[in-house]
Amino acid sequence: MRILALLITLLCAGVAQAKLNVVATTPDIGALAHEIGGDKITLSVLARPTEDPHFVDAKPSFVIKLNHADALVEGGAELEVGWLPALLDGARNPKIAAGAPGHINCAPGIEFLEVPTSLDRSKGDLHAMGNPHYLTDPVNARLVIKTIAEGLIKLDSANAATYQANLASFTSRLDAKIAEWQKTLEPYRGRQFIAYHNTWPYFARRFGLRSELFLEPKPGIPPTPAHLAEVIAKMKSEKIGVIIVEPCQNRKTAETVAADTGAKVLSFAQYPGGVKGTDAGYFQLLDYLTKTLAEALAAQP
Amino acid sequence: MKKTIFFILQGMAVATYGGLDTNEVQTLRRELDDLRARTRSLEEKLLRLEQQSQGGGLATTNNLPALAAPASPTNAINLAGGTHSIAGTNLTTAASVPPTNSWSPAQPITVMRSGSAYMNVSFDAVLDAGWSTSPEVSKELQLGDHDPTQRGFSMRNAELALDGAVDPYFKGFANIVMKLENDNSTEVELEEAYLASSSLPWNLQLKAGQFFSEFGRQNAQHPHQWAFVDQPLILNRAFGPDGLRNPGARISWLAPTPFYTEAFLGVFNGQGGTAFSFRDSETDGSHGRSPWDNHLRGPGDLLYVPRVASSFELTDHQTLLVGASAAFGPNNTGEDTRTQIYGVDTYWKWKPSNAGDGYPFVAWQNEALLRRYEAGADPAAGLPAETLRDWGFYSQVLWGFRPHWVAGLRGEYADGNSGAYDNLDPFRGERERVSPNLTWYPSEFSKIRLQYNLDHGEKFDVEHSVWLQLEFLLGAHGAHKF
């Protein structure tokens, strides 16, 4: 009898220890899912931190990852539209099919910027839902972790307390960090920076900065000499001294423009691990972004 | 504890207020006025921007609270600035009040977004223009139905593609192709129309309808996905000008292996010009024999297409996909004549982890096929019973050397044993072709491709062709497989 009880306890423990298999589409979502799931989940991330998230290859190995998944966490803002649907078709996993509890979409609740009023590709490759790079604003991260926690609790109620505790702890640390990041960038309110691609409107809005000029003439269209000449002229007349470039973008183009304008080129990344020293997670990434940008802006007149 | 500190600080603030000299008060007042002015100008700017983005009219003062709401928690944090007590209290309220995100009239109303439409609708057209030293391009050089078919201009592939979820159980896909013949009449074909299951158990997936069979790599791709303007020679000889597609069903199984392995079995009726080596009713596919009017006598007369494919991540930046396929079925040259086709294919791709827009990359694709065709006797045509064997391969390398630019090189070879009808048969005899090309993709939705073909065949010796291809895609097109 006692042995049976022991066996049942062991069995229950075994079941409880079966970790939730979670797949995140991009490393920022992955980092947040890790904060909530902790050691209760096994996490894999499809896009690499240095990769262009619009053009991830729909590799067959991803089909396998999605086939084994208990949960999929995606941005839901069409950033993954070029590769995720084909992978989901191949994965044939009803647990993470659209509408299933295991398909955690982080977009609901996000206030999207730059939602096009009409869809017109002569304006470049626009996303119908609006700019998809919303996690560059830490206040949006607040919403996303809540969505992720709610999703995980639905799938794994046994660990609900852990997820809730992780959510509460991360949220309070995030709030303190937001205040710190804002303080770092506060002296530069209203200042402008140049970005290669329009990745940073959420970041700029949160920190009172302006990101209005891009090296790409239109989203997804490579820089042209005529457009760069225009950017250079504007940088000179408006005294803009910072250009930010992500790992998947052509740094040489930015450096050419910088040489002409005396601007500083900053390595930026929207994903933890995209630039050196940011592998530890979302906080470390935002620490890096706010600090390097503040330093660069301070060095400029 | 926090509360007491708060009260003490507040008390100190009240106590010291009286002691502030007029200078400090004035400075504070000035700062406050500055802040007010800044807020006002920001509000005005926001309103202006909104009116611009909505074409004016819709924006009202109602918009402002809706817009201001999400920003409020951080505004509070901003204002907190130096005094810790206030910062503390504001932060806790910020944490407990989630930003409001319900729809507001300030948000633009989108007419159509892909997430809210029931299906993807797209139209893709490919225009070819060029010249060849051969005056009869479509009779000896370019035997593919979507190849450029004449000197000057030709438009051989304008497709309307529809796809989406039918219900929770099925996905649907249709591809309707229009082609301009050399006399400029339009030919319409229902290239594909099928549904695919999305919720079968045991890792199974069922496809049913008319669709390209998953034999090798290129057969199942639509012409606008091809890396060259024309169909590879050996695919043309094994599957005919239109590729292997027929009404039927296919079951596939994703194996529970740690690496990707998928097994497919397709079953088709196997008749007509799109089952070229099988029960083709035209003389082209029958190698001179007048086709028998064979009906299905049993399951043995169906066309079976099995395939196995596996994929490996060689390194972080290299992916390999290998496959083996076969097709078995009766052909139309005799009462009991059959065809077997075997193929192997490999696809290797390198892409660094900091690629932008998907560039740079190198992709190397190979397919080799072997066909065994039992041709029946046709005494009226003077043709004996014989077994025709055909073989060949193509190997192509694509190099995306800078964003939106791809250089390609393809080499091909096809040959077979000799047959009685060979002299009149454009689909047989030794042939080699080398095709360098250069493609520029102004965006994901258009391309301009220039290709040169150096052709050698035992029937026509050497011919040169240059083709320019233009493609445009309208609308939302479903994501492509790896």
Side-chain angles (χ1 to χ4, degrees):
Chain A
M1 191 60 205
R2 210 177 276 169
I3 291 170
L4 191 69
L6 192 72
L7 270 177
I8 289 170
T9 323
L10 275 176
L11 204 70
C12 289
V15 169
Q17 271 168 10
K19 288 184 183 180
L20 212 58
N21 200 342
V22 179
V23 176
T25 52
T26 50
D28 49 350
I29 294 171
L32 296 178
H34 174 72
E35 296 288 348
I36 302 303
D39 58 357
K40 303 292 179 204
I41 64 170
T42 313
L43 180 73
S44 47
V45 179
L46 301 183
R48 283 174 296 225
T50 51
E51 197 165 16
D52 185 339
H54 306 80
F55 295 93
V56 174
D57 280 333
K59 291 187 208 175
S61 60
F62 293 171
V63 170
I64 295 298
K65 281 182 179 162
L66 289 170
N67 178 257
H68 295 169
D70 298 307
L72 164 71
V73 194
E74 68 146 321
E78 296 183 357
L79 187 63
E80 304 99 333
V81 75
W83 44 281
L84 190 59
L87 290 172
L88 283 174
D89 284 352
R92 58 197 77 177
N93 181 351
K95 281 194 249 176
I96 56 162
H103 190 123
I104 303 171
N105 182 345
C106 297
I110 300 292
E111 184 208 359
F112 280 95
L113 295 180
E114 300 166 359
V115 181
T117 42
S118 65
L119 295 178
D120 178 357
R121 285 200 183 125
S122 67
K123 294 168 185 161
D125 192 6
L126 298 172
H127 294 271
M129 282 185 71
N131 192 301
H133 308 283
Y134 58 81
L135 271 176
T136 55
D137 174 357
V139 173
N140 283 337
R142 267 177 124 263
L143 278 166
V144 167
I145 49 172
K146 212 164 155 263
T147 308
I148 295 173
E150 280 165 5
L152 294 182
I153 287 167
K154 250 187 237 167
L155 297 169
D156 179 21
S157 53
N159 287 313
T162 312
Y163 300 137
Q164 249 146 11
N166 288 347
L167 173 66
S169 144
F170 188 76
T171 306
S172 66
R173 281 181 292 145
L174 180 62
D175 285 334
K177 275 290 187 183
I178 291 172
E180 188 188 315
W181 295 326
Q182 291 206 304
K183 210 170 149 192
T184 309
L185 282 169
E186 177 57 32
Y188 313 104
R189 187 162 274 279
R191 292 279 293 274
Q192 220 181 136
F193 60 83
I194 306 287
Y196 189 97
H197 176 77
N198 189 9
T199 310
W200 305 96
Y202 296 91
F203 179 86
R205 183 186 67 156
R206 182 55 55 204
F207 296 108
L209 302 165
R210 288 159 61 204
S211 169
E212 295 158 10
L213 282 170
F214 313 99
L215 299 186
E216 283 182 345
K218 281 165 187 175
I221 308 290
T224 57
H227 175 74
L228 290 181
E230 238 172 80
V231 172
I232 289 170
K234 272 198 192 144
M235 284 176 74
K236 282 178 179 163
S237 69
E238 295 179 31
K239 298 203 167 49
I240 309 168
V242 176
I243 306 173
I244 62 179
V245 184
E246 294 168 57
C248 62
Q249 295 162 352
N250 191 343
R251 199 183 163 93
K252 265 189 231 151
T253 312
E255 269 161 5
T256 314
V257 174
D260 213 340
T261 54
K264 188 170 165 45
V265 180
L266 285 191
S267 290
F268 252 44
Q270 49 176 326
Y271 299 135
V275 281
K276 250 189 202 161
T278 59
D279 319 63
Y282 192 77
F283 287 159
Q284 207 187 20
L285 175 72
L286 267 286
D287 277 344
Y288 169 89
L289 297 181
T290 48
K291 199 170 140 256
T292 47
L293 186 58
E295 277 167 8
L297 288 170
Q300 300 287 332
Chain B
M1 180 63 191
K2 235 182 208 168
K3 259 189 188 157
T4 27
I5 294 178
F6 178 65
F7 282 124
I8 291 167
L9 281 171
Q10 211 173 33
M12 278 163 66
V14 173
T16 50
Y17 184 72
L20 284 177
D21 57 38
T22 41
N23 255 349
E24 281 181 69
V25 175
Q26 272 169 357
T27 321
L28 278 172
R29 199 168 283 159
R30 230 189 352 261
E31 275 179 9
L32 201 66
D33 284 343
D34 275 352
L35 270 173
R36 276 200 195 118
R38 207 157 70 185
T39 316
R40 210 176 307 126
S41 78
L42 278 174
E43 280 176 357
E44 275 166 13
K45 198 174 165 193
L46 262 177
L47 200 65
R48 234 187 0 259
L49 281 172
E50 271 177 36
Q51 281 169 337
Q52 271 173 15
S53 70
Q54 297 186 352
L58 269 173
T60 65
T61 41
N62 285 346
N63 298 339
L64 286 174
L67 262 171
S72 58
T74 34
N75 282 348
I77 295 163
N78 264 336
L79 286 170
T83 48
H84 288 273
S85 58
I86 299 173
T89 40
N90 273 336
L91 265 178
T92 40
T93 49
S96 58
V97 182
T100 49
N101 285 285
S102 53
W103 183 86
S104 84
Q107 283 171 15
I109 297 161
T110 45
V111 185
M112 190 190 89
R113 49 170 64 157
S114 57
S116 67
Y118 282 116
M119 61 179 176
N120 289 324
V121 180
S122 69
F123 177 79
D124 183 280
V126 177
L127 173 73
D128 298 306
W131 203 263
S132 173
T133 50
S134 163
E136 298 275 20
V137 175
S138 64
K139 295 216 169 103
E140 53 182 15
L141 287 190
Q142 306 291 160
L143 300 176
D145 222 15
H146 303 287
D147 294 3
T149 49
Q150 59 185 346
R151 287 173 171 176
F153 295 91
S154 48
M155 194 169 215
R156 300 294 298 168
N157 197 80
E159 62 179 55
L160 180 67
L162 314 169
D163 77 276
V166 176
D167 54 29
Y169 314 105
F170 299 109
K171 293 202 120 188
F173 184 94
N175 208 44
I176 295 138
V177 170
M178 285 146 281
K179 298 183 282 201
L180 294 182
E181 300 292 351
N182 286 0
D183 65 2
N184 210 38
S185 60
T186 306
E187 190 192 325
V188 180
E189 58 187 27
L190 183 62
E191 190 173 61
E192 290 194 288
Y194 63 85
L195 52 75
S197 71
S198 42
S199 55
L200 278 190
W202 307 306
N203 278 348
L204 295 174
Q205 189 188 59
L206 185 75
K207 216 167 160 179
Q210 151 120 327
F211 54 92
F212 279 113
S213 78
E214 282 130 333
F215 187 114
R217 186 158 172 86
Q218 184 159 324
N219 186 62
Q221 292 180 341
H222 293 128
H224 77 102
Q225 287 172 265
W226 296 355
F228 291 80
V229 306
D230 39 21
Q231 188 190 24
L233 296 173
I234 189 61
L235 296 191
N236 177 264
R237 290 183 174 198
F239 302 135
D242 266 302
L244 184 60
R245 61 182 160 82
N246 240 245
R250 174 280 260 164
I251 189 108
S252 98
W253 177 60
L254 198 60
T257 43
F259 53 89
Y260 167 86
T261 300
E262 190 169 358
F264 306 77
L265 178 64
V267 183
F268 302 89
N269 251 29
Q271 62 195 352
T274 57
F276 185 79
S277 291
F278 301 94
R279 294 190 299 126
D280 189 355
S281 43
E282 292 157 33
T283 42
D284 264 358
S286 306
H287 301 286
R289 280 85 178 162
S290 42
W292 282 52
D293 188 18
N294 278 349
H295 298 284
L296 292 179
R297 292 161 296 186
D301 280 354
L302 291 166
L303 166 62
Y304 294 89
V305 184
R307 170 171 171 79
V308 180
S310 282
S311 173
F312 309 92
E313 301 290 327
L314 301 179
T315 70
D316 266 2
H317 313 121
Q318 294 178 51
T319 306
L320 178 69
L321 182 66
V322 292
S325 319
F328 309 107
N331 67 51
N332 250 4
T333 59
E335 199 181 342
D336 208 11
T337 49
R338 301 187 66 82
T339 306
Q340 296 92 31
I341 303 175
Y342 304 93
V344 287
D345 56 282
T346 65
Y347 180 71
W348 170 89
K349 185 172 180 181
W350 167 83
K351 196 176 96 173
S353 51
N354 63 346
D357 280 12
Y359 299 84
F361 71 87
V362 176
W364 184 27
Q365 177 174 321
N366 301 286
E367 283 192 67
L369 278 82
L370 178 68
R371 183 181 82 145
R372 184 181 171 276
Y373 188 95
E374 297 167 3
D378 185 348
L383 295 168
E386 58 185 341
T387 300
L388 301 174
R389 287 190 175 79
D390 300 86
W391 55 84
F393 74 91
Y394 73 89
S395 179
Q396 67 186 40
V397 181
L398 302 180
W399 177 32
F401 56 98
R402 53 180 294 180
H404 299 219
W405 285 87
V406 180
L409 178 64
R410 181 184 65 188
E412 299 178 81
Y413 167 77
D415 201 359
N417 65 352
S418 56
Y421 184 67
D422 279 6
N423 283 341
L424 295 167
D425 196 340
F427 293 94
R428 301 212 77 223
E430 189 193 331
R431 229 182 124 177
E432 296 91 24
R433 187 164 66 184
V434 178
S435 316
N437 77 6
L438 182 67
T439 309
W440 175 47
Y441 295 85
S443 76
E444 275 182 272
F445 309 102
S446 60
K447 77 171 173 231
I448 300 170
R449 169 174 293 159
L450 184 65
Q451 179 172 323
Y452 163 69
N453 283 355
L454 171 62
D455 241 310
H456 173 263
E458 62 178 63
K459 296 212 178 76
F460 54 78
D461 203 15
V462 176
E463 301 281 5
H464 307 269
S465 314
V466 175
W467 303 113
L468 185 72
Q469 186 173 60
L470 300 169
E471 183 203 339
F472 68 87
L473 187 144
L474 292 172
H477 195 74
H480 289 149
K481 286 168 76 175
F482 181 72

